[in-house]
Amino acid sequence: MKQPGHALPAPPTACDVPGRVAGRVDDLLVQIAHGSRDALGELYDLLAPLLLELLRSRLPDGADARSALVDGFSRVWREAPSYDPGPHGLDWVIDRVGREGK
């Protein structure tokens, strides 16, 4: 029984599950394909930490992973009009960002 003046604790916030992130990435890529710079910024905020670590693990020692990340997101911006919406959006982004030096 709830006593007066004692609120129940708030339920924990839901964590992002892969399906939700994948759906959000797809939505953002569609917006980017239509020229939304805000969507590009949101995609960067969502994925940059993960992709930066991926690049650091793939690049030779001394390579600038941050620069490669920026180059990769430039590719995402340029190639977004060719994106075919679907559940593969995260793979599509990883492919473009992972093409360091190409």
Side-chain angles (χ1 to χ4, degrees):
M1 178 174 191
K2 184 178 168 191
Q3 297 178 357
H6 291 84
L8 294 174
T13 57
C15 63
D16 281 327
V17 293
R20 289 183 185 165
V21 171
R24 186 67 188 136
V25 168
D26 182 64
D27 291 343
L28 291 170
L29 287 170
V30 170
Q31 292 174 43
I32 294 165
H34 288 93
S36 173
R37 291 181 185 271
D38 290 339
L40 182 65
E42 191 173 334
L43 184 70
Y44 183 91
D45 291 344
L46 180 66
L47 298 180
L50 168 76
L51 295 173
L52 188 58
E53 288 306 312
L54 177 70
L55 287 167
R56 285 181 177 146
S57 72
R58 288 184 175 180
L59 295 174
D61 288 341
D64 187 358
R66 290 179 192 267
S67 179
L69 182 67
V70 170
D71 291 346
F73 271 92
S74 293
R75 269 189 294 285
V76 167
W77 175 257
R78 287 190 312 271
E79 296 179 19
S82 70
Y83 173 68
D84 185 22
H88 59 278
L90 182 57
D91 292 334
W92 190 90
V93 172
I94 290 170
D95 181 59
R96 268 108 198 120
V97 173
R99 281 196 240 152
E100 195 277 328
K102 296 180 183 171

